[in-house]
Amino acid sequence: MPQIIPIKDLKNTSEISDMCHKSEEPIYITKNGYGDMVIMSMETYESAMYRLSVYRDVELSEQQIESGQIKNARTSLAEMGTKYGL
């Protein structure tokens, strides 16, 4: 369940840091009752960015398949072997 805290609580930086590290989810910050910011630990951020890059790669691959930009795996490996002297 997401944690939501008001912006005035950000002055308790050590407590907020502990919350970020205990939770593997972002913490939502509100200002005047409305969403304003999201904070998270570095580990959570890096994990999210890694997943996003994988999803982008999968999406790009699917687009290439749909447009016919494909190669035979054996041919590609042979070309790499020739190119890199393997």
Side-chain angles (χ1 to χ4, degrees), residues 3-81:
Q3 293 183 341
I4 302 170
I5 61 172
I7 199 164
K8 66 179 180 157
D9 287 355
L10 287 179
K11 61 185 167 190
N12 303 324
T13 56
S14 182
E15 185 179 318
I16 299 295
S17 177
D18 289 343
M19 287 173 57
C20 286
H21 289 283
K22 287 179 185 173
S23 171
E24 293 183 4
E25 296 181 341
I27 297 172
Y28 299 89
I29 310 299
T30 60
K31 182 177 181 181
N32 298 323
Y34 295 96
D36 187 52
M37 295 185 287
V38 177
I39 59 174
M40 63 185 82
S41 70
M42 288 296 293
E43 295 84 6
T44 301
Y45 174 78
E46 288 171 352
S47 175
M49 292 300 103
Y50 175 76
R51 280 193 313 271
L52 181 60
S53 72
V54 170
Y55 294 149
R56 285 182 182 155
D57 289 346
V58 169
E59 182 180 10
L60 177 61
S61 296
E62 288 175 347
Q63 290 172 356
Q64 290 173 337
I65 290 168
E66 288 175 7
S67 68
Q69 296 176 329
I70 57 174
K71 283 187 174 182
N72 179 288
R74 292 183 198 281
T75 304
S76 294
L77 289 172
E79 288 173 2
M80 285 175 50

